[in-house]
Amino acid sequence: GDVNGRSALIAQLSFFKSWAFCTSQILYAPLSGFGGTSAYDPFAIAACNALLFLPICFYSLNRFIPAAVALQRPSLYQGGARQVHLNRTSVCIWVVRAVYQAALSFALCTLAFDESFITPEGSPASSSLVAVASFAIFLLVQAGNLALETHTFTVPQALSIIVGLIGSLGLYYLCNLSLRAQKLVDLHSFNVAVGNPVFQLLAPLVLVGALAPVVALKFWGEVSGSPADASRGGGGVQVA
């Protein structure tokens, strides 16, 4: 059964990652002269859904309350039938959240790796370097969103988030080993971007900037009882 909108949240998380991903593409269009150039490399476009699909699937293990307690309280299931957790308001909240986080990530990443940025080889930042840096930050922000929406951290859930992050790094190296797959990735740009102090400072800055307003609004919604927390329904985090 759907307790506290778990199924509704899985559906909205699935749409949310696509909204955030597409928003970055739209914001990149003016910078590319509306030439149809992607903000991400071919690997990011192909792997985005696969890397984020696993953590979202394991979100089904998330438990707001123990199963034994849920069976004793049928009223907890009424929200699903009444569309309390999946409605126009909750969808609008997630759309605004996706656009805000994507815009913040895109703006800060573009400013950090502008024409004044110089690589160790003495060359300016290439579009490929900006693309891999943006995608790495995109994955971090999505992992932060999943963690923020989780009530109960089970081992499979934690592993799925870690695999989604580390798996992207592993896939970059695996693709680089194949001559055909090398066309999809730029491993050198990835190493330069992730290993640079600018990225290492930028990543936590974007993560805090993207998630802090969400945490603040959720806290305000729980305290005031307003619909600001409609996308989740409140509740503390437990470890199982």
Side-chain angles (χ1 to χ4, degrees), residues 27-81:
L27 294 175
Y28 183 74
L31 297 182
S32 62
F34 298 96
T37 305
S38 174
Y40 301 105
D41 57 22
F43 169 82
I45 297 174
C48 174
N49 285 324
L51 292 173
L52 295 175
F53 176 74
L54 184 64
I56 291 177
C57 282
F58 276 97
Y59 187 84
S60 61
L61 300 175
N62 182 45
R63 299 192 306 272
F64 177 61
I65 58 176
V69 177
L71 292 175
Q72 297 172 2
R73 300 181 181 179
S75 59
L76 294 174
Y77 298 87
Q78 295 177 359

Side-chain angles (χ1 to χ4, degrees), residues 78-231:
Q78 295 177 359
R82 297 176 180 175
Q83 297 184 340
V84 173
H85 308 291
L86 182 58
N87 49 54
R88 293 180 180 178
T89 301
S90 67
V91 171
C92 288
I93 290 175
W94 278 98
V95 170
V96 172
R97 179 171 170 177
V99 171
Y100 163 73
Q101 292 184 348
L104 178 69
S105 302
F106 177 81
L108 292 182
C109 196
T110 302
L111 291 174
F113 295 98
D114 60 5
E115 62 275 1
S116 64
F117 178 86
I118 303 298
T119 65
E121 292 81 8
S123 58
S126 63
S127 58
S128 178
L129 187 147
V130 177
V132 295
S134 299
F135 185 60
I137 289 178
F138 172 80
L139 290 177
L140 287 173
V141 172
Q142 301 316 306
N145 282 306
L146 282 169
L148 186 60
E149 299 300 332
T150 300
H151 295 95
T152 305
F153 280 98
T154 60
V155 173
Q157 282 177 281
L159 288 177
S160 67
I161 294 177
I162 295 173
V163 168
L165 293 175
I166 299 180
S168 60
L169 176 61
L171 286 176
Y172 262 100
Y173 281 93
L174 288 176
C175 287
N176 192 63
L177 297 178
S178 171
L179 293 177
R180 292 184 178 181
Q182 282 180 0
K183 298 178 181 180
L184 300 176
V185 301
D186 186 348
L187 185 60
H188 176 69
S189 294
F190 183 84
N191 289 332
V192 171
V194 177
N196 193 280
V198 172
F199 176 87
Q200 295 166 6
L201 291 174
L202 178 66
L205 177 62
V206 173
L207 198 59
V208 172
L211 299 181
V214 179
V215 174
L217 287 174
K218 285 181 177 294
F219 177 77
W220 176 74
E222 292 175 356
V223 172
S224 64
S226 71
D229 200 32
S231 63

